[in-house]
Amino acid sequence: MLVVKNLTKRFGGFTALESINISIGAGERIGLIGPNGSGKSTLVNCISGVLPVSDGSVHFDGDNITHLPPHRRTQLGIGRTFQIPKPFESMSTLQNVCIPLEYAARYGNHGEALPDRAQQILADLDLRSKADLLPEGLTQIDLRKLELARAIAIRPKLLIADEVMAGLAGAEIDEVLGLLQRLGKSGIAIIMIEHIMHAVMEFSERMIVLNTGKVIADGAPDDVINDAIVEQVYLGE
């Protein structure tokens, strides 16, 4: 469903990504890992259209989307969360979910009331009781769930979860992990970017490792974690 071909991203004289080649099938659960500064966020920003590529191409569902703006990629079915949640502060939790429903998923054209669908999404993420709260009244885990809710509202075929567990601990991590696993079982392909290794290992069918802007491993989680080069990158000599 997603094919990235020879993708390179330069910032002036600095090459952040060099000749990246990856492919992701429908419904696959992918863990994307690597040290800080390895290029993970740059890669997903190129896939989602936040950053233009310097060379190479991005294909989604058979179409070349390399030069499409972010909102068009969203409408095609690429949803994402961000490391730092930035909901509309003056809108309730429910209204925050209605926005992508109306403007990305265009739910208003399908004859179903937006608030009803938004309520269902919130219920699926255990947020229904917080529907009328403003973001300032939400806990950290609630804000993370709201990020997921807004991404799910666009009816994604591919969901990029960018450090959706950041700032969480213990049972909260397990709760969000369970939500992502449920979404994966529903048929949505998911790329999870995360530093919490046990969560990535439990979630992923396949893991891709970046280091200094290059793919250094791509395979089954156990094989990747036991790869000598990956061990060296994470643990040193």
Side-chain angles (χ1 to χ4, degrees), residues 141 165-179 196 198-199:
I141 188 171
M165 300 177 193
L168 306 182
E172 294 177 333
I173 292 173
D174 293 337
E175 185 177 355
V176 174
L177 177 60
L179 292 173
I196 303 171
H198 77 83

Side-chain angles (χ1 to χ4, degrees), residues 208-225:
I208 298 171
V209 188
L210 291 183
N211 187 45
T212 61
K214 300 177 182 178
V215 174
I216 62 169
D218 183 346
D222 287 340
D223 294 339
V224 166
I225 289 301

Side-chain angles (χ1 to χ4, degrees), residues 117-139:
R117 177 58 184 148
Q119 287 280 16
Q120 182 57 57
I121 292 172
L122 292 178
D124 290 343
L125 295 177
D126 301 322
L127 277 178
R128 194 161 193 167
S129 63
K130 312 289 180 67
D132 296 328
L133 292 182
L134 294 176
E136 64 183 13
L138 299 178
T139 64

Side-chain angles (χ1 to χ4, degrees), residues 87-92 95-96 134-135:
F88 297 106
E89 297 289 347
S90 63
M91 293 183 174
S92 69
Q95 290 169 330
N96 264 279
L134 294 176

Side-chain angles (χ1 to χ4, degrees), residues 30-59:
I30 305 294
L32 179 61
I33 66 172
N36 287 330
S38 60
K40 301 184 300 296
S41 291
T42 301
L43 176 58
V44 298
N45 283 334
C46 288
I47 292 171
S48 61
V50 175
L51 291 174
V53 305
S54 301
D55 289 303
S57 61
V58 180
H59 300 255

Side-chain angles (χ1 to χ4, degrees), residues 44-116:
V44 298
N45 283 334
C46 288
I47 292 171
S48 61
V50 175
L51 291 174
V53 305
S54 301
D55 289 303
S57 61
V58 180
H59 300 255
F60 185 70
D61 254 2
D63 295 323
N64 189 332
I65 64 168
T66 308
H67 301 295
L68 290 183
H71 73 277
R72 285 288 297 120
R73 301 187 197 203
T74 299
Q75 289 169 349
L76 290 174
I78 299 178
R80 67 166 297 178
T81 68
F82 290 85
Q83 293 179 17
I84 300 175
K86 293 183 178 179
F88 297 106
E89 297 289 347
S90 63
M91 293 183 174
S92 69
T93 301
L94 181 68
Q95 290 169 330
N96 264 279
V97 178
C98 284
I99 293 297
L101 276 173
E102 183 169 3
Y103 292 100
R106 297 176 178 173
Y107 227 86
N109 296 333
H110 294 272
E112 183 173 347
L114 288 176
D116 290 345

